[in-house]
């Protein structure tokens, strides 16, 4: 209960009021006590002085006793008159009726007090007197004749009446304190509630803000400190809401930018913990770790080149680079520091660039240069050698000379095919490949191509099978270019199929398209190479030999020509069991255009 500000404020006000009332009651009680005591003492002193004069002027003891009796009745006080020697000279009737009255007279004052009275001083004593058996007020007034003290008048007044009066006054004061306390408690309660009500509303608003709700506003009903505090809190809530909205918009914008980036982005804190990352970064590092916030670089995230570059950035504050291989992916990492206002590196941003394709292209270009050099050097060597032999007259007879000329022709045609392939690839990439489209008999086309490559199949000992039904509808396309596609696919299959193997050409209708497939029983294509086989200059077979060597552009030409016809091409392979290349073509009924360039 005391945890409430209303209770604490109310209890504080009540305790303060209680303390003030108690102190005030004690002071008033003491004040009244002293007032009545002093009033009674002054009255007794005045009467004692009068009695002292009466003692000196009284003609007889009887008259003095009568006067003492009157004084006793009037003041309700006993009177004793003593001479200078300390002997009782006379006493009031009430005092005389008391037992041991002589001893009372002698014990009224202490010797110092008696000496003070005989010296001319008035002595006032309040206390218990054994002779009277009550608390009394004793007043000793010296009796003087001219300047000499000849005796003293002792007045003994019981304090019971004064005590009763003071008790009544104290009782009234106590009642007043209790009533004031009740009133003060009620007033303090309502006052504490009125003061704490806006504070409670502010507390609820602050708790709502801490929970992320900045909509509550405090009704300001005063212009004092509490009201100004409420205005400040409302302004704070408004500014915080605006700031958080701006931060949320910036965060969403940043998340959108990071999510739309094709490059991976990871932000580390100064200790190497992952603060944030985008989906490409998680995808790039998936073979290594399932990326999550809070992971430590060098612990959960084991990537040595990146960790070393990170340490260099933190140590030097300069941009660093690194290259790492994760699975089959080549990543180039660029790390830059983020500094606080004091210049200390508080975080590091790492951008991961997937350079796998670029590295493969570089490798393919190198392979292409080597392959083309090899392909050009071999026929040129043959051309040079046999031409020089003919010119030097080394041919023994016309038959041998004709053989030399046939070899020169074959190598020249080989060079022409190589140059034609390069030109076709260039036209395809430039979108300038001319297609003279028309109706093409697919079954007849496959038969013609099979007859062209059959000598090569027989030479290698590979069985060539044709399973294209004559009932297939005609395709819409360029017969020459489609023949080029089939020759490239069959030549590729025959080069990679060992002797005793089988190459088959199949055709069917599939989903409204004509599908042609070339299957072989060769070694197959590894899964990691399968996505790249249609890229230019890419070769699965790295060794350059006369039997399997190629330029790496045949399948790229196949893909370009098929897509120019509105179809698509793909490959399916199982290592050790062969490969199937399939491409689709639109039937003649779907397109009656007159052909043209690739757009």
């Amino acid at each position: 209960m005391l945890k409430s500000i209303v209770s604490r404020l109310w209890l504080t006000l009540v305790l303060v009021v209680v303390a003030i009332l108690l102190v005030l009651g004690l002071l008033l009680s003491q004040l009244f006590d002293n007032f009545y005591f002093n009033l009674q003492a002054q009255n007794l002193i005045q009467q004692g002085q009068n009695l002292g004069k009466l003692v000196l002027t009284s003609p007889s003891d009887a008259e003095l006793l009568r006067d003492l009796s009157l004084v006793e009745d009037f003041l309700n006080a006993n009177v004793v008159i003593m001479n200078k020697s300390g002997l009782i000279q006379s006493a009031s009737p009430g005092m005389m009726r008391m037992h041991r009255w002589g001893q009372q007279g002698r014990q009224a004052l202490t010797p110092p007090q008696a000496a003070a009275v005989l010296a001319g001083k008035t002595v006032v004593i309040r206390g218990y007197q054994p002779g009277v058996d009550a608390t009394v007020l004793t007043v000793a007034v010296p009796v003087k004749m001219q300047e000499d003290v000849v005796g003293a008048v002792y007045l003994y007044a019981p304090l019971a009446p004064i005590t009763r009066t003071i008790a009544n006054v104290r009782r009234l004061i106590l009642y007043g304190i209790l009533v004031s306390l009740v009133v003060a408690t009620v007033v303090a309660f309502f006052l504490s509630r009125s003061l704490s009500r806006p504070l409670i509303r502010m507390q609820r608003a602050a708790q709502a803000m801490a929970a992320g709700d900045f909509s509550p506003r405090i009704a300001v009903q005063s212009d004092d400190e509490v009201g100004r505090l409420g205005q400040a809190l409302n302004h704070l809530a408004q500014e915080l809401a605006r700031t958080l909205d701006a931060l949320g918009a910036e965060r969403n914008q940043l998340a959108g930018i990071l999510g739309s980036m094709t490059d991976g982005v990871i932000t580390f804190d100064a200790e190497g913990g992952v603060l944030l990352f985008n989906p490409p970064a998680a995808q790039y590092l998936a073979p290594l770790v399932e990326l999550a916030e809070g992971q430590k670089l060098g612990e959960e995230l084991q990537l040595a080149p990146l960790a070393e570059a990170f340490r260099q950035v933190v140590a030097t504050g300069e941009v660093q680079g690194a290259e790492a291989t994760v699975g089959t992916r080549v990543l180039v990492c660029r790390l830059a520091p983020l500094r606080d206002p004091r210049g200390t590196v508080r975080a590091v941003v790492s951008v991961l660039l997937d350079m796998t394709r670029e590295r493969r292209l570089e490798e393919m270009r190198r392979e292409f240069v080597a392959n083309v050099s090899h392909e050009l050097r071999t026929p040129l060597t043959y051309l040079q050698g046999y031409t020089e032999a003919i010119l030097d007259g080394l041919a023994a007879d016309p038959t041998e000379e004709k053989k030399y000329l046939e070899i020169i022709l074959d190598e020249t045609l080989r060079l022409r095919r190589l140059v034609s392939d390069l030109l076709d690839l260039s036209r395809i990439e430039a979108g300038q490949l001319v297609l003279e489209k028309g109706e093409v008999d697919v079954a007849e086309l496959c038969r013609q191509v099979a007859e062209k490559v059959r000598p090569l199949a027989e030479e290698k000992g590979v069985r060539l099978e044709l399973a294209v039904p004559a009932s297939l509808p005609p395709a819409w396309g360029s017969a020459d270019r489609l023949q080029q596609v089939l020759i490239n696919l069959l030549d590729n299959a025959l080069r990679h199929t060992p002797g005793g193997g089988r190459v088959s050409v199949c055709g069917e209708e599939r989903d409204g398209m004509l599908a042609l497939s070339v299957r072989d029983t060769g070694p197959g294509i590894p899964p990691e190479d399968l996505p790249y086989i249609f890229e230019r200059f890419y070769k699965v077979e790295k060794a350059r030999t006369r039997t399997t060597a190629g330029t790496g552009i045949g399948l790229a030409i196949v893909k370009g020509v098929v897509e120019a016809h509105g179809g698509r091409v793909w490959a399916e392979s199982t290592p050790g069991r062969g490969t199937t290349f399939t491409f689709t073509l639109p039937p003649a009924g779907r397109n009656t255009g007159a052909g043209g360039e690739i757009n």
Side-chain angles (χ1 to χ4, degrees), residues 489 504-508 510 515-519 580-583:
L489 291 178
S504 59
V505 180
C506 304
E508 62 178 344
R510 184 186 301 177
L516 298 178
S517 300
V518 176
R519 299 188 179 95
T580 300
F581 284 89
T582 304
F583 66 95

Side-chain angles (χ1 to χ4, degrees), residues 452-475:
K452 287 184 179 182
V453 299
R454 192 174 299 278
L456 177 61
E458 292 175 353
E459 180 183 349
K460 290 196 63 177
V462 175
R463 188 169 69 255
L464 181 61
E465 298 177 353
L466 189 63
V468 179
S471 59
L472 279 179

Side-chain angles (χ1 to χ4, degrees), residues 63 73 104 113 126 294-295 304 334 341 386 394 425 448:
E63 187 175 352
D73 294 337
Q104 170 65 34
Q113 294 171 342
R126 180 172 60 176
Q295 290 178 341
R334 298 289 294 175
Y386 286 108
L394 296 179
L425 180 61
Q448 293 175 1

Side-chain angles (χ1 to χ4, degrees), residues 107-271:
Q107 293 181 353
L109 302 177
T110 61
Q113 294 171 342
V117 173
L118 295 178
K121 296 180 179 180
T122 301
V123 176
V124 179
I125 302 173
R126 180 172 60 176
Y128 180 78
Q129 295 295 334
V132 184
D133 196 19
T135 301
V136 298
L137 177 64
T138 302
V139 176
V141 180
V143 179
K144 297 181 180 179
M145 182 178 290
Q146 295 181 355
E147 295 298 329
D148 297 331
V149 177
V150 297
V153 177
Y154 291 87
L155 292 95
Y156 301 94
L159 292 178
I162 298 176
T163 302
R164 285 194 297 272
T165 301
I166 293 175
N168 292 333
V169 172
R170 288 177 176 172
R171 191 176 298 109
L172 291 176
I173 292 173
L174 179 60
Y175 292 156
I177 290 175
L178 294 177
V179 172
S180 301
L181 182 60
V182 172
V183 174
T185 300
V186 176
V187 172
F189 177 74
F190 286 102
L191 179 61
S192 62
R193 285 200 62 183
S194 63
L195 291 176
S196 60
R197 189 177 293 113
L199 297 178
I200 294 175
R201 288 198 293 266
M202 293 179 196
Q203 177 196 7
R204 292 172 181 169
Q207 290 175 342
M209 284 191 287
D213 182 12
F214 299 95
S215 60
R217 293 293 183 268
I218 300 168
V220 179
Q221 300 175 348
S222 62
D223 196 27
D224 55 5
E225 290 81 359
V226 176
R228 289 193 291 272
L229 179 59
Q231 293 175 352
L233 199 58
N234 288 337
H235 180 69
L236 176 62
Q238 183 177 358
E239 291 299 318
L240 283 176
R242 184 181 296 110
T243 301
L244 288 180
D245 288 341
L247 290 176
E250 292 181 2
R251 184 179 181 87
N252 292 336
Q253 182 179 4
L254 178 60
I257 293 173
L258 292 177
S260 62
M261 291 177 63
T262 57
D263 298 328
V265 178
I266 307 177
T267 302
F268 300 97
D269 59 24
E271 286 73 34

Side-chain angles (χ1 to χ4, degrees), residues 194-377:
S194 63
L195 291 176
S196 60
R197 189 177 293 113
L199 297 178
I200 294 175
R201 288 198 293 266
M202 293 179 196
Q203 177 196 7
R204 292 172 181 169
Q207 290 175 342
M209 284 191 287
D213 182 12
F214 299 95
S215 60
R217 293 293 183 268
I218 300 168
V220 179
Q221 300 175 348
S222 62
D223 196 27
D224 55 5
E225 290 81 359
V226 176
R228 289 193 291 272
L229 179 59
Q231 293 175 352
L233 199 58
N234 288 337
H235 180 69
L236 176 62
Q238 183 177 358
E239 291 299 318
L240 283 176
R242 184 181 296 110
T243 301
L244 288 180
D245 288 341
L247 290 176
E250 292 181 2
R251 184 179 181 87
N252 292 336
Q253 182 179 4
L254 178 60
I257 293 173
L258 292 177
S260 62
M261 291 177 63
T262 57
D263 298 328
V265 178
I266 307 177
T267 302
F268 300 97
D269 59 24
E271 286 73 34
V274 177
L275 296 177
L276 60 89
F277 58 91
N278 65 346
Q283 179 184 354
Y284 293 165
L285 299 178
L288 183 65
V289 65
E290 184 177 353
L291 200 59
E293 294 181 1
Q295 290 178 341
K296 288 292 185 179
L297 183 60
E299 297 178 4
E300 295 92 345
L301 182 55
Q302 293 285 347
L303 198 58
L306 182 62
E308 179 60 28
F310 172 81
R311 286 191 290 269
Q312 291 294 329
V313 172
V314 174
T316 63
E318 298 178 354
V319 177
Q320 299 290 332
E323 183 171 319
T325 301
V326 180
T328 59
R329 199 184 300 271
V330 179
L331 301 177
V332 173
C333 311
R334 298 289 294 175
L335 291 86
L338 296 179
R339 304 177 185 274
D340 59 18
R342 296 175 297 178
T344 306
V345 177
R346 62 177 179 83
V348 175
V349 176
S350 175
V351 179
L352 307 179
L353 306 176
D354 185 6
M355 302 297 291
T356 306
R357 181 180 178 84
E358 286 73 10
R359 295 290 186 269
R360 287 183 180 273
L361 288 176
E362 291 177 3
E363 183 179 355
M364 286 188 292
R365 288 188 185 99
R366 290 193 297 268
E367 290 289 332
F368 172 74
V369 171
N371 290 334
V372 170
S373 299
H374 179 76
E375 294 292 330
L376 289 175
R377 184 172 61 250

